[in-house]
Amino acid sequence: MKYQELREEVTRISRRMGDSGLVRTTAGNVSARTPDGDVLITPSGLPYEDLEAGDLALVDLDGNLLEGPLEPSTEVPMHTGIYRQRPGVGGIVHTHAPYSTALACLGLEIPAVHYMLAALSEEGRVPLAPYATYGTEELAGYASETLGGTHSACLLQNHGTITVAETATKAYSLTEILEEMAELYYRTRLAGDPIILGPDRIAETRAKIAGYGQAKRS
Ligand SMILES: [Zn+2]
């Protein structure tokens, strides 16, 4: 089968997402860009524990099904729209993670409540895309617009989350960070008035994250 390694990566992450509590039942979806510029994406409505590498759908950047035994995710337009707009993105994860989605239902974006928010945004915030019905081109447009050229994460109003990165594995790690930030923001708002970090603090942290793991001396 073509793209075996990439298929296994997407399958592994999808199962992990299913086990993690970041999604329930069959909600959410994961995709990766193939070396040929098409997209491997999880199928619609299949429980993650049953998912196998051969079940993934291969679609082109316009969302046409090229290959796959099952219907692709209903959110194909959102994934392909982001890949068209962001050439550097190689993986996308969409969830209904509970704290992030709770904030999205309150119509809130997430400010820099903790330094790790720097991993998600140059601007020090996770923006909120307006509501549109799931699976529509309208929602796809809002998601792409809200992510813009630089954000790695956004909330979808009354719906859930999107994270993007060079790989699907990295996009999944960003979802875990996003949910941690959402939980912190939710809890600190309940308890009082959280201190929000300024743009200079976010810039310093981003510079440190960029150098992380590359400091080996010869
Ligand atoms: Zn969804």
Side-chain angles (χ1 to χ4, degrees):
M1 207 182 313
K2 225 176 165 190
Y3 314 123
Q4 189 61 31
E5 218 169 291
L6 202 55
R7 283 172 179 277
E8 278 164 18
E9 183 185 352
V10 171
T11 306
R12 194 169 56 240
I13 288 156
S14 303
R15 287 199 193 134
R16 209 163 120 200
M17 187 171 82
D19 292 341
S20 68
L22 290 174
V23 297
R24 286 176 196 161
T25 65
T26 64
N29 31 72
V30 178
S31 72
R33 198 197 297 262
T34 71
D36 299 316
D38 296 315
V39 176
L40 273 173
I41 187 161
T42 44
S44 174
L46 186 73
Y48 291 111
E49 66 264 30
D50 298 338
L51 183 71
E52 290 181 51
D55 296 328
L56 299 179
L58 183 67
V59 299
D60 68 17
L61 278 189
D62 294 317
N64 301 305
L65 180 65
L66 302 176
E67 198 189 302
L70 299 161
E71 281 293 304
S73 159
T74 49
E75 296 294 3
V76 162
M78 192 159 70
H79 288 250
T80 53
I82 294 166
Y83 286 120
R84 287 198 305 270
Q85 174 177 286
R86 297 272 293 264
V89 167
I92 299 175
V93 173
H94 164 59
T95 75
H96 300 173
Y99 283 97
S100 302
T101 305
L103 295 177
C105 293
L106 289 163
L108 294 171
E109 55 175 50
I110 308 176
V113 67
H114 185 277
Y115 78 86
M116 275 308 287
L117 197 121
L120 305 172
S121 165
E122 273 177 22
E123 287 177 31
R125 68 188 182 95
V126 175
L128 173 73
Y131 182 78
T133 304
Y134 82 94
T136 59
E137 290 290 344
E138 192 186 11
L139 178 61
Y142 287 152
S144 283
E145 261 170 50
T146 305
L147 283 168
T150 59
H151 287 289
S152 298
C154 79
L155 300 179
L156 306 172
Q157 192 196 314
N158 298 90
H159 185 160
T161 70
I162 291 263
T163 54
V164 305
E166 306 88 71
T167 65
T169 302
K170 179 129 192 264
Y172 179 77
S173 305
L174 294 183
T175 299
E176 289 182 321
I177 294 172
L178 171 61
E179 181 64 355
E180 191 187 348
M181 296 301 104
E183 182 174 353
L184 272 174
Y185 188 48
Y186 179 92
R187 287 180 182 277
T188 52
R189 273 179 68 108
L190 279 185
D193 200 4
I195 300 164
I196 304 303
L197 298 172
D200 50 336
R201 294 301 189 191
I202 292 299
E204 280 168 30
T205 305
R206 280 185 76 85
K208 253 187 122 132
I209 291 172
Y212 184 72
Q214 293 174 34
K216 195 170 174 181
R217 290 199 190 118
S218 54

